[in-house]
Amino acid sequence: MTMNAEKGPVVTAPSQEDSAAGGKSAATVPQASPHGDALFSIDPVPLTARPLLLITRGRVEYLAHCPHCRDWHRHVHLGHVTGPCGTEYELQPRRAKGAA
């Protein structure tokens, strides 16, 4: 049963398809193509950030704009890092000016 703001509680009856399938509703889940189409393949793209160099009193830190939450995070090394928001990403050094 669901609530409708204008009509109050709404009771939905099972459809004919549900009755033919045994009376239970099933969620539709997208299936991968058996032909291996590229449209259905999901390859995760690694998140990367190019940090600013932050020189503190005792050490060098990297100030990165998080690719997920868009906040600034501080790290003490380059490479694979986990931000305080829980997002894992790669810190890659910025290219030097004039480099191709």
Side-chain angles (χ1 to χ4, degrees):
M1 177 167 30
T2 61
M3 293 295 290
N4 186 327
E6 295 175 2
K7 298 179 183 177
V10 177
V11 178
T12 57
S15 69
Q16 292 177 352
E17 294 171 351
D18 290 340
S19 298
K24 295 182 180 178
S25 296
T28 303
V29 178
Q31 300 293 320
S33 170
H35 306 293
D37 296 340
L39 178 64
F40 292 98
S41 65
I42 300 173
D43 293 329
V45 177
L47 298 174
T48 58
R50 298 198 185 272
L52 298 173
L53 192 60
L54 178 65
I55 301 173
T56 61
R57 187 171 185 152
R59 62 182 171 193
V60 174
E61 294 183 6
Y62 301 95
L63 186 62
H65 201 206
C66 179
H68 178 71
C69 74
R70 309 305 296 165
D71 201 4
W72 289 96
H73 301 317
R74 293 167 71 165
H75 300 282
V76 294
H77 61 84
L78 294 173
H80 188 78
V81 297
T82 303
C85 64
T87 304
E88 294 182 3
Y89 52 96
E90 290 288 325
L91 282 183
Q92 298 177 352
R94 291 179 176 262
R95 289 182 237 169
K97 291 189 177 184

